[in-house]
Amino acid sequence: MTILVTGGLGYIGSHTVTELLHNGFEVIIVDDLSNSERFILENIEKITGKKPIFYPFDLKRKELLTQLFDAHQIDGCINFAAFKAVGESQVKPLDYYENNLFSLINILQEFKSRNISNFIFSSSCTVYGQADEMPIDEHTPLKTPESSYGKTKQMGEEILKDFAQAYRKKVSLLRYFNPIGAHPTALLGELPIGIPNNLVPYVTQTASGIREKLNIWGNDYPTEDGTAVRDYIYVVDLARAHVAALKKLMAEQQDTVIDIYNLGTGKGSSVLEVVEAFETANDVKVPYQICERRAGDITIAYANADKAEKELGWKADTSLEEALRTTWEWQKYLESRTQ
Ligand code: UFG
């Protein structure tokens, strides 16, 4: 079986490619290298002993995508390619809508015209906004996300539901909570460009001295220690969920399938708990200061991931400390590369 993985050199994409190769799938990667680097391809080969076919182009280039589908027999797609910076999406909304939605539609057009099914979409728990009750399951009502980035995820889900219904296709919408960590080999991980927005890359860069202090955005939230709570899921666990979701779609007998899964650990951790876990796991200090809340942040979000466990036989079982240990190993690897 040959799977097209768009954004396959990115953070979650590269881990998923590795898991697909471990599970005997052939992989074709399309990635425009806008937020990734070529050495990741070599590292995937070092880990798996297999070299995926790689096309460096932008999925908005419809003619190149058509040529790719002409050249290969493709059995499914996992679509990671998207812009993902929440803050940037507020100042460049059109770029986000154009990039995230046009590229999605271009692939779906190929699926429609070639009678291909099995499509997995990277969605986000941002589609729930600040949910009224915890934990968040798949029946929790959706709210319009604040950011244009979040709206592209919600619109992507709607496009895929219509696509599955109208053309009798199988799709799986995977709503990620907060992915963290790196591959146990320290050959794959997150590559933040510039100043990181997300918590764990910022913590890591602070521990290594690249940043002076972590800014904790608010300690007056109605949570136990006053800092905001999220569900941090280890990226390799998350990658494995994609393989499980793909296998389930492929085994489905019906023509039309719309699967939706929350992918999280089921456990919430506060910002301060993450900082402490990082310090304990790696025996390093993370200096921090408390600042004003960050605009657009919610108080708390953690998953009820029972549906994924029941239907996919999958569970995120790596501890926060272990995930944070791999992050630190990855940071050391990155620093050794630049020396
Ligand atoms: N935080 C800090 N300091 C930092 C960075 C983050 O205190 O330097 C805090 C945030 O305020 C928040 C928590 O750490 O309370 C997590 O922040 P992240 O930016 O790591 O993650 P978010 O939950 O804000 O965003 C993530 C993804 C988005 C996705 C969103 C869905 O990055 O892509 O979850 O809720 F849309």
Side-chain angles (χ1 to χ4, degrees), residues 52 60 68 95 99 102 175 188 193 199 218-219 221 265 330:
K60 296 195 291 302
L68 182 152
D95 292 354
N99 189 61
F102 285 13
R175 295 174 179 161
L188 306 175
I193 296 177
L199 177 63
N219 69 347
Y221 284 101
T265 65
W330 165 246

Side-chain angles (χ1 to χ4, degrees), residues 42 85 110 116 136 173 195 204 217 247 275 286 289 311:
E42 289 159 31
E110 297 295 333
I116 311 173
I136 298 170
L173 314 177
I195 302 171
T204 312
W217 306 123
K247 285 183 177 170
V275 171
V286 180
Q289 60 187 1
E311 296 185 12

Side-chain angles (χ1 to χ4, degrees), residues 23 82 93 101 206 287 290:
N23 278 270
L101 298 178
T206 305
I290 306 292

Side-chain angles (χ1 to χ4, degrees), residues 11 178-182 190 199-201 232-236 238 274 319-321 323-324 326-327:
Y11 176 42
N178 291 53
I180 59 162
E190 195 166 3
L199 177 63
V200 170
Y232 296 93
I233 174 172
Y234 180 45
V235 67
V236 177
L238 184 61
V274 171
S319 69
L320 181 62
E321 284 76 13
L324 294 171
T326 61
T327 306

